[in-house]
Amino acid sequence: MVHEALLHVPNSDGNKNIDMVNQIRDSLAIMGDNSTAFSLPQPHLQRTKLCDMKDGELDPMYVKKKEQLKQLVASIIRPKIVQGRPLNGKEFVSFLEQILEALNKGEIPSTGSLVEVFNKGILERCLKLYNERMAKLSLPLIEQSLQEYHERSMEEVMKLFEEQHFGRHHAKKSVEQLEEEIEKVHKNVIMTNEYRSSKLCEALYTRCEDKMDQLQVLRLPSMAKFNAGFLQCNQSFEQECVGPAKTNYGHRMMKMLGKSRSLFIKEYNHRLFNWLVAFSLVMVVVGRFIIKFILIEIGAWVLFIFLETYTRMFWSAESLYYNPVWHVIVATWETLVYSPVLDLDRWAIPAGVIVALFVLYWRCNGRRKHGSSWLLPLYNNNKGGPNRPRSD
């Protein structure tokens, strides 16, 4: 019918229309020869039961057309040959499943996978840059400084990635992957910083604890020396302990220092009182038998009597320690025992040995050569000497 319509087209424009008609007719003829389309009639009137019917129950024309369709498909398709042998239907389905699985896993290159492979090298370089920057850190650091350094490194890494990455849609996935990897490294750095901070603060805490224990057992009790050691421990901890563990160990440090100070003050007055009593007795012996200087012996006896008798008769232990006289004694003791120039607790034994040697030398040689040159009264040892006048 189309051919007949084209044959009866009025020749209005002459030869041009005739040429156009001939071209259309030739095209339709070619399409008719290559066309494989045909219609299938309705299989059965009861369409809802078609799945349960066999070919004998269907329309014979439909069955005939269906067989023709199968033959046509079989003539058109080419057998799929894999590794030199053709595949049947089940094998071909299994082959398609393997292809789909490989595509899903990215084993077969695609446009997206190629972009990911290209960006993978960039991700590795960016991650390496971040690791190198974080490796330069001298841990431990305070948390704010570590976070600021991490943010600056992150900005530099993302700038490098923006300059070199490929693709837009797949670049978003690469950015997310890069952020995840950087976050893992960042968490590891945070854990390392916490560990090193804890080790450093613990070492400082232990050192100060040992220092406080040493100050509790001073040979010569000195509040000034204890306060100096207390201040030194506190300052060294505040300056050297850094990082997340500083807060926790800071509370422990203040509690430990407070307990040590209370214990030292509690024992200080009692130990100082015993030391003064022992010192007065020692000076009695020195003034009586070694130097033989009567004023030293008298002063030592006065101090001993004052400490052991007067204070116990008129003052209690608590009132003594709050008395102005006791404060004067404590101030004098502190001046003699500890100063920035001389620490008598450290040099007490060497100084005692030197003084003993000097006294021994003076006793043996000094008085024999030069005689006594004291201007103050000494003990008279010549009561039984040969120059004593004879009595009647």
Side-chain angles (χ1 to χ4, degrees):
M1 294 177 64
V2 176
H3 289 257
E4 294 177 354
L6 291 174
L7 291 173
H8 292 87
V9 173
N11 189 2
S12 59
D13 293 335
N15 295 330
K16 291 183 179 181
N17 290 335
I18 294 174
D19 295 337
M20 184 181 296
V21 170
N22 292 332
Q23 292 177 0
I24 294 174
R25 183 169 56 192
D26 294 340
S27 299
L28 290 175
I30 295 172
M31 292 174 61
D33 295 338
N34 295 332
S35 177
T36 58
F38 60 92
S39 62
L40 290 174
Q42 182 175 345
H44 199 276
L45 294 177
Q46 297 181 357
R47 299 180 179 179
T48 57
K49 297 181 179 181
L50 290 178
C51 295
D52 300 330
M53 292 182 180
K54 299 181 180 180
D55 290 349
E57 299 177 6
L58 301 177
D59 187 0
M61 183 59 66
Y62 170 78
V63 176
K64 181 180 179 181
K65 289 286 186 179
K66 186 180 70 170
E67 294 297 329
Q68 293 177 358
L69 177 61
K70 291 169 65 176
Q71 294 175 2
L72 177 62
V73 173
S75 64
I76 293 175
I77 63 173
R78 297 178 180 179
K80 300 298 179 182
I81 299 176
V82 178
Q83 296 181 352
R85 68 182 186 88
L87 301 179
N88 56 26
K90 293 182 179 179
E91 293 175 344
F92 184 69
V93 171
S94 177
F95 176 73
L96 287 179
E97 290 177 352
Q98 295 177 7
I99 294 296
L100 291 175
E101 185 178 357
L103 285 172
N104 292 330
K105 291 182 178 180
E107 297 176 355
I108 299 179
S110 62
T111 304
S113 63
L114 290 176
V115 174
E116 291 178 358
V117 170
F118 182 82
N119 288 336
K120 184 178 180 180
I122 302 175
L123 289 178
E124 293 177 354
R125 290 195 295 270
C126 293
L127 188 60
K128 181 180 179 181
L129 175 62
Y130 181 82
N131 287 327
E132 290 176 352
R133 286 184 59 86
M134 300 305 288
K136 296 179 181 179
L137 288 175
S138 179
L139 300 178
L141 293 173
I142 60 176
E143 295 174 298
Q144 184 178 358
S145 299
L146 180 61
Q147 183 63 25
E148 292 176 354
Y149 191 85
H150 161 70
E151 292 176 355
R152 292 195 300 268
S153 301
M154 189 72 175
E155 291 178 359
E156 184 175 349
V157 168
M158 296 308 297
K159 181 180 179 181
L160 176 63
F161 180 80
E162 290 295 332
E163 293 175 353
Q164 299 183 5
H165 80 275
F166 180 76
R168 292 185 179 181
H169 174 69
H170 295 281
K172 295 181 180 179
K173 297 181 180 179
S174 299
V175 169
E176 294 175 356
Q177 183 180 357
L178 178 60
E179 291 177 349
E180 291 178 0
E181 295 296 329
I182 289 178
E183 188 62 26
K184 292 180 182 179
V185 177
H186 184 217
K187 289 182 179 179
N188 291 334
V189 173
I190 291 176
M191 294 177 61
T192 304
N193 187 53
E194 292 176 351
Y195 173 76
R196 294 187 180 180
S197 174
S198 177
K199 294 292 289 184
L200 176 61
C201 295
E202 183 179 3
L204 293 171
Y205 175 84
T206 304
R207 187 176 69 184
C208 284
E209 189 176 27
D210 295 340
K211 181 69 173 179
M212 291 296 103
D213 293 339
Q214 293 174 3
L215 292 175
Q216 295 291 341
V217 291
L218 293 174
R219 299 187 188 91
L220 303 177
S222 172
M223 181 64 70
K225 186 173 182 177
F226 180 86
N227 290 335
F230 182 93
L231 183 61
Q232 181 182 3
C233 274
N234 194 20
Q235 290 179 349
S236 63
F237 182 83
E238 290 294 331
Q239 295 174 359
E240 299 178 21
C241 178
V242 294
K246 183 174 183 178
T247 302
N248 183 24
Y249 278 92
H251 293 315
R252 293 177 57 184
M253 186 75 172
M254 296 306 298
K255 186 180 295 185
M256 184 270 294
L257 292 177
K259 289 182 179 180
S260 299
R261 188 182 185 88
S262 300
L263 180 61
F264 183 84
I265 293 175
K266 180 180 179 181
E267 299 293 332
Y268 172 76
N269 290 318
H270 181 66
R271 291 182 61 194
L272 179 58
F273 183 88
N274 294 335
W275 261 102
L276 291 176
V277 172
F279 176 76
S280 62
L281 292 177
V282 169
M283 293 308 298
V284 167
V285 174
V286 171
R288 178 73 175 179
F289 299 102
I290 299 176
I291 301 179
K292 297 184 178 181
F293 189 17
I294 192 172
L295 293 182
I296 294 179
E297 182 183 359
I298 293 174
W301 278 116
V302 170
L303 179 62
F304 178 78
I305 295 172
F306 172 78
L307 293 174
E308 287 294 330
T309 305
Y310 186 82
T311 56
R312 297 182 186 276
M313 292 177 59
F314 299 99
W315 294 336
S316 63
E318 291 77 9
S319 62
L320 170 64
Y321 298 149
Y322 291 99
N323 192 277
V325 177
W326 179 254
H327 292 169
V328 173
I329 295 175
V330 170
T332 305
W333 171 266
E334 291 290 341
T335 303
L336 295 175
V337 171
Y338 181 79
S339 66
V341 179
L342 177 63
D343 183 3
L344 196 57
D345 182 75
R346 178 180 298 179
W347 299 101
I349 295 178
V353 172
I354 294 173
V355 172
L357 293 175
F358 176 76
V359 171
L360 183 61
Y361 173 80
W362 175 77
R363 287 283 295 169
C364 295
N365 298 324
R367 294 182 63 184
R368 183 181 304 172
K369 292 180 179 180
H370 305 286
S372 177
S373 60
W374 292 97
L375 299 179
L376 296 176
L378 300 174
Y379 282 101
N380 187 4
N381 295 329
N382 298 323
K383 292 182 178 181
N387 297 326
R388 179 182 177 183
R390 299 179 64 179
S391 60
D392 296 335

